[in-house]
Amino acid sequence: MFMIQRELPNDPSSISYFLGCISQSKSVAIDVHLEDIDWFIDQAKQKGVEISHVIDTHIHADHYSGGKELAKQTGAQYLLHESSSAKFDFVALKDQQSIHIGNVELKILHTPGHTLDSICLLGTDHTRGPNPWFLLSQHTLFVGSVGRPDLRGKEVEMAAKLYDSIHNKLLTLDEYIEILPGAKAGSACGVGISGKPMSTIGFEKHNNPVFKLSKQDFISQVTENLPPYPAKMDEILAANSDD
Ligand SMILES: [Fe+2]
């Protein structure tokens, strides 16, 4: 398999991923920014692979998504969690479902909390072995922090869901699983994100300050002292979910 972690210069808010299988000529683009569509098309050409799947891990509030347009231009499937509020046609992903991109398998973990439709992707490279080894945790779990739960209102209810998603679905994974997050320090989608660029389930279990808290303290901590909403949030949410 190949994997490229893609960050736009001067934009800490969202890290995209391009990964796939060269031997079977398939690839998946994840959390693509609108201004980055040509970059993904160019990378696919250079690697000699088709872009077969495009995924947004939630409807983003902090950047314009290029996912739908990239899928249209390449003929790829555009996938979102089945609970997404998108008003256009997409392929609906279910919790625990796996998708196969050649030899790469991504298992969908529905992890509501940052948003209701948030998913994480648990990855296996079957050319290396049968067990998963990486988690694209996007805006659910950051290194040293978690996604903010307040962007669509009902923050206390959402923070409780986030606690359950993390404790029931993520921290139960094997400790050696590598975490590849969807934002770095400075993003408007999380507070207190570490400068460490990647992590493991085990490292976060032992060192992420919010995982030592009771559910009630977790809810208080992640709903208090939140930074301002991302710039142009309402406009961006509408653009990312309207037809
Ligand atoms: Fe987000």
Side-chain angles (χ1 to χ4, degrees), residues 16-160:
S16 307
Y17 289 87
F18 184 47
L19 59 116
C21 172
I22 290 178
S23 63
Q24 294 189 39
S25 182
K26 303 275 188 234
S27 66
V28 56
I30 298 161
D31 286 346
V32 175
H33 286 235
L34 188 59
E35 59 268 53
D36 228 9
I37 291 171
D38 291 345
W39 181 88
F40 278 89
I41 291 173
D42 187 52
Q43 288 297 313
K45 262 191 207 135
Q46 285 186 34
K47 298 223 167 303
V49 295
E50 154 200 11
I51 299 179
S52 49
H53 300 75
V54 178
I55 300 175
D56 267 314
T57 59
H58 55 295
I59 296 289
H60 300 282
D62 59 338
H63 68 267
Y64 291 98
S65 169
K68 188 167 59 132
E69 182 58 27
L70 177 63
K72 196 167 138 195
Q73 288 189 24
T74 58
Q77 292 186 338
Y78 180 49
L79 307 104
L80 292 165
H81 186 255
E82 61 181 348
S83 66
S84 171
S85 57
K87 298 186 186 86
F88 46 80
D89 287 340
F90 59 89
V91 177
L93 294 167
K94 289 184 189 309
D95 185 44
Q96 306 297 319
Q97 171 188 352
S98 278
I99 58 169
H100 294 265
I101 305 102
N103 289 317
V104 180
E105 177 180 353
L106 294 178
K107 185 176 178 185
I108 311 305
L109 302 181
H110 182 217
T111 51
H114 173 58
T115 63
L116 276 177
D117 64 342
S118 287
I119 54 172
C120 295
L121 304 165
L122 181 62
T124 303
D125 174 7
H126 285 283
T127 57
R128 302 292 293 275
N131 300 316
W133 62 267
F134 66 94
L135 179 77
L136 298 173
S137 63
Q138 298 314 97
H139 285 182
T140 297
L141 171 59
F142 297 124
V143 181
S145 183
V146 293
R148 65 189 291 178
D150 62 314
L151 293 176
R152 313 290 283 267
K154 299 187 180 167
E155 58 263 29
V156 169
E157 190 185 313
M158 293 298 286

